[in-house]
Amino acid sequence: MRDLRTLPAKIIVAVLLVIVIYPLVWLLLGSFKTQAEFLNDPAWSLPHHWQFSNYSEAWTTGQLGTYLRNSVVAVFPALAFIVLFGTAAGFALEVMVWRGRNAILLAFLIGIMVPGQMILLPLFTTYFQLGLTGSLWPLIITYTAIGLPLTVFMMASYFRAVPREIFEAAVLDGASMFRAFFFVGFPMVRNAVFTVALVQFFFLWNDLLIALTFTNSSDLRTVQVGLLNFTGQFGQTQYGPLFAGICINVFGALALYLVLNQKIMKGLAGGAVKG
Amino acid sequence: MERVLGDKKTILVLLGPALIVYTVVMLAPVVISMGYAFFDGNAITGFTWTGTDNFQRLFDDPDVRSSLWFTLKYGLILTVLQVGLGYGLALLYVFVLQRGSALVRTLIFFPVVLPTVAVALLFQKLFEIAPQEGPVNAFLGVLGGSPIDFFGDGGHAFWVVILMDLWRSAGFYGVLLYAGLVDVPEEMLESARLEGASTYRLVRHMIIPLSMPVLLSALIFSINGTLKVFDSIVALTNGGPGNETTPLTLYMFQTSFSYGDYGYGASIALMLTVLCLLFTVFIFRSARRDVTEA
């Protein structure tokens, strides 16, 4: 009876794993093939001599190095702002007591649903008028704003779980609420802050819409926009370097995922339920 | 105590930055974008008032009709498939694999974190026909079929987009719904099973009703995400062939930035926002009716 139930289950799991993993194996093998091997050999053949130069080609001629730097410069400052502003706002909305805080929390909630298309045009006009379009500032500013709603909402619900007596005790000991936030509140939700930052990192790093709209020169492209325009760099499709470029992106994410998978799964799923 | 917890200056300092950024960069643009819908022009040429012309145009434009149809078809089909497949995975994790499911869960979740553009380029090559024959067409050849030009035909391209997004998201919905299912009390299922309930009846009458709240979150999250689809389409088909796989989001983007028509672009964006709102409210209301009837 037990075997009858586990055999079909084993087959299903095996098929699922092949579907998830095979494309990635094919991608990795492809990143070592030559152009001729791509065009002439069957899809599942192995590379004959491993073409490591695909990677240096992707990095220099494909300008992947520049794109990665742009992504880092745009995403990490935005992440820092999101975490700092979002946590402080979550604290002010949940721990502190004042009239109108529920209305403000609701206003933040609306932002989770609004499509990016709805803010692009006024922002583009404003950045253009302010002369910011030749820099990465439009990305940093926009990323900070679109990351805030979910962050404020998630941080508020984490602070809800912290007993209010802790902050009252800190205040009785003579701390101001400002100090209570930085030295009691923030350290207490440290883990949650990390989870939220991780979730936002994936959202921002994988963003295409905002980056595509606000990067008007090829020097400013983020990784995603750069990858999208990869074919153009060489005229016709150069499979090897393209695959190497995709590989760097995919296996970079894999490395992060290997270390932090439990946190990432919990964070992303939690963000969806709360959102 | 009340005075310290309600200290106005502290609230201002802590809440201020987030509220200012959010208001200036999100709320205000939403309102201004609604205003744009009554104008023609763009950031460079300036704007001229046209009243409700843009809305009239929305109704007459065959491209709006086809991209709205694509958005709805894509959103509904993908939502049903990804929540359905995710639910299947969650049931597999909880009731078949049980404690051994952690590794499988982790592996199947992995595509979720991958950059969409990278995945789309990978799928483009997987389903390619020429100059390189991708594994999918090679596999069809082995089975004795003839290769298919997946991106040369709107119907085929649609299903490649759906397949890719399923590949990317199934693990996510699996984990999301798994979290709801592990809360179903074991003893309740055990006693129902002892009384002779079949697996089908168990799922239909106990597990689905009990996991309704999380199923609902999944549905709302999914329809909201799929109606806004942009990255996967831009990177995989770029709306083609022709405009057969162009959703509203991409049509809005092209109208605004390729043709410089901000006013019309803004009215398409408004239409999209209203659509998202309608679906969210609709799911909420129909779900509430279900719960009260049961």
Side-chain angles (χ1 to χ4, degrees), chain B residues 220-237:
Chain B
I220 292 177
F221 189 77
S222 170
I223 195 78
N224 250 311
T226 51
L227 290 177
K228 293 179 201 162
V229 61
F230 183 78
D231 304 13
S232 350
I233 304 255
V234 170
L236 189 64
T237 67

Side-chain angles (χ1 to χ4, degrees), chain B residues 237-265:
Chain B
T237 67
N238 201 15
N243 66 351
E244 285 184 62
T245 58
T246 304
L248 280 175
T249 50
L250 180 57
Y251 186 51
M252 177 274 170
F253 194 85
Q254 289 166 343
T255 307
S256 311
F257 298 109
S258 307
Y259 303 110
D261 195 346
Y262 280 23
Y264 194 42

Side-chain angles (χ1 to χ4, degrees), chain A residues 2 5 9 12-13 16-17 19-24 26-27 38-39 42-44 85-86 88-89 91-93 95-98 104 107-125 127-129 141-142 144-146 148-149 152 164 167-169 171-172 175-178 181-182 202 205-209 212-213 224 227-228 237 239 242-243 246 249-250 253-254 257 261-262 264-265 268-273, chain B residues 1-2 4-8 10-11 13-15 17-19 21-22 24-34 36 42-44 47 85 89 92 95-98 102 104-119 121-123 125-126 128 130-135 138-139 142 167 172 175-176 214 217 221 224 228-231 234-235 248-250 252-253 256-257 261-263 265-266 269-270 272-273 276-277 280:
Chain A
R2 185 94 195 135
R5 265 185 60 196
I12 291 174
V13 170
L16 284 173
L17 291 183
I19 293 174
V20 170
I21 295 167
Y22 177 72
L24 299 173
W26 183 68
L27 170 70
F38 265 106
L39 297 184
W44 45 70
F85 296 171
F91 183 86
L93 288 168
V95 178
M96 302 197 65
V97 189
W98 47 287
I104 304 245
F108 274 109
L109 251 179
I110 294 170
I112 298 176
M113 208 206 61
V114 174
Q117 275 80 2
M118 198 64 201
I119 60 169
L120 284 186
L121 298 171
L123 287 181
F124 192 88
T125 312
Y127 294 142
F128 179 76
Q129 282 162 352
I141 297 169
T142 317
T144 306
I146 57 171
L148 275 174
V152 169
R164 186 173 262 126
F167 301 109
E168 292 177 352
V171 169
L172 284 179
S176 66
M177 274 317 270
F178 198 65
F181 167 66
F182 274 103
F202 281 112
W205 188 264
N206 297 345
D207 159 73
L208 181 66
L209 178 65
L212 204 56
T213 309
Q224 311 310 334
L227 214 51
L228 195 62
T237 308
Y239 286 95
L242 175 63
F243 272 52
I246 303 173
N249 269 275
V250 164
L254 176 64
Y257 185 67
N261 57 64
Q262 292 309 316
I264 294 173
M265 285 160 75
L268 284 173
V273 175
Chain B
M1 185 58 62
E2 286 298 295
V4 187
L5 279 175
D7 180 37
K8 289 266 160 23
T10 316
I11 293 171
V13 172
L14 291 177
L15 182 64
L19 198 58
V21 173
Y22 178 67
V24 173
V25 189
M26 274 200 85
L27 290 183
V30 167
V31 177
I32 298 172
S33 188
M34 286 182 199
Y36 278 3
N42 60 48
I44 293 131
F47 294 94
L85 186 61
L89 283 175
L92 180 78
F95 298 110
V96 182
L97 301 178
Q98 293 166 344
V104 178
R105 233 159 53 215
T106 309
L107 285 172
I108 295 183
F109 190 87
F110 171 59
V112 176
V113 301
L114 299 181
T116 314
V117 176
V119 173
L121 292 175
L122 170 62
F123 268 68
K125 304 306 169 211
L126 277 171
E128 198 167 64
Q132 173 257 165
E133 189 181 55
F139 186 65
V142 170
W167 186 81
F172 173 80
V175 167
L176 185 70
V214 71
S217 317
F221 189 77
N224 250 311
K228 293 179 201 162
V229 61
F230 183 78
D231 304 13
V234 170
L248 280 175
T249 50
L250 180 57
M252 177 274 170
F253 194 85
S256 311
F257 298 109
D261 195 346
Y262 280 23
L270 186 59
L272 179 70
T273 310
C276 290
L277 196 74
T280 310

